[in-house]
Amino acid sequence: TQLLEQSPQFLSIQEGENLTVYCNSSSVFSSLQWYRQEPGEGPVLLVTVVTGGEVKKLKRLTFQFGDARKDSSLHITAAQPGDTGLYLCAGVAGNTPLVFGKGTRLSVIA
Amino acid sequence: DAGITQSPRHKVTETGTPVTLRCHQTENHRYMYWYRQDPGHGLRLIHYSYGVKDTDKGEVSDGYSVSRSKTEDFLLTLESATSSQTSVYFCAISRLAGVNNEQFFGPGTRLTVL
């Protein structure tokens, strides 16, 4: 069973600060996805990373897939209140179903 | 936004009663999934479907059954609801499996079993 550990579980920061959240596993994944979920809604896909060492940017969000494809990070620059939400990583290994981490709950205070 | 709807959006029921949740998609995606989301557990896969009448179990399938008689509909049934099945249930769809298994989620159904 592949497990994805996310850290930290909770993060509360002031507007304008930078932050990084992590997604780690002992298993190798074919690809890794990041989702954001707002209260009362379903998760929304932000990005998929496929190649070891890959870096993708989405405005102020930077996603990185570890060289060994066992971990990933999400860095947010100059966080804004609109970034508040639950950030979930999810991994694909072969043709097995997607495995989700438990998420990092981010609160950005104005 | 992907065309996924879930019904009902909220339901309160009593222990021992049957409950059916419906997921409907207008995207003609092959794959459909049912998850439950609980504090401290994240999203856990209950069942999934890889085509009409083709389904398989996920991580937490005990007490749940599914059916998919049409591409667009995926039903989740709790034959005899228990309080431990109180949760938020999400349906998701994807066009592909494997590396490109990018999922689109419905708005969720909040189920309370008293």
Side-chain angles (χ1 to χ4, degrees), chain A residues 1-93:
Chain A
T1 302
Q2 299 100 3
L3 292 175
L4 283 166
E5 302 284 342
Q6 291 191 242
S7 61
Q9 276 188 281
F10 302 95
L11 189 56
S12 181
I13 62 170
Q14 295 290 323
E15 182 177 2
E17 293 183 355
N18 302 333
L19 67 115
T20 303
V21 297
Y22 301 92
C23 176
N24 296 299
S25 177
S26 58
S27 302
V28 176
F29 289 93
S30 305
S31 67
L32 208 139
Q33 301 167 10
W34 285 92
Y35 293 80
R36 179 168 66 207
Q37 184 179 18
E38 299 189 13
E41 299 181 7
V44 175
L45 179 67
L46 296 174
V47 77
T48 300
V49 285
V50 178
T51 306
E54 182 176 4
V55 176
K56 281 191 173 179
K57 292 192 175 184
L58 186 65
K59 295 183 180 179
R60 295 176 292 99
L61 278 60
T62 302
F63 304 86
Q64 185 162 7
F65 201 10
D67 291 340
R69 290 186 289 131
K70 292 183 177 182
D71 56 87
S72 181
S73 63
L74 158 59
H75 181 81
I76 301 179
T77 304
Q80 299 178 1
D83 296 326
T84 293
L86 179 67
Y87 289 82
L88 296 159
C89 67
V92 176

Side-chain angles (χ1 to χ4, degrees), chain A residues 30-31 33 35 37 40-45 48 50 86 88 92 94-98 100-102, chain B residues 9 33 35 37 40-43 45 48 57 90 97-108:
Chain A
S30 305
S31 67
Q33 301 167 10
Y35 293 80
Q37 184 179 18
E41 299 181 7
V44 175
L45 179 67
T48 300
V50 178
L86 179 67
L88 296 159
V92 176
N95 281 322
T96 59
L98 203 58
F100 281 85
K102 294 181 181 180
Chain B
R9 293 293 314 280
Y33 311 83
Y35 293 90
Q37 188 173 36
H41 291 278
L43 275 167
L45 183 66
Y48 64 101
K57 296 179 179 180
F90 287 99
V99 170
N100 297 303
N101 180 0
E102 299 179 339
Q103 297 189 7
F104 300 92
F105 285 80

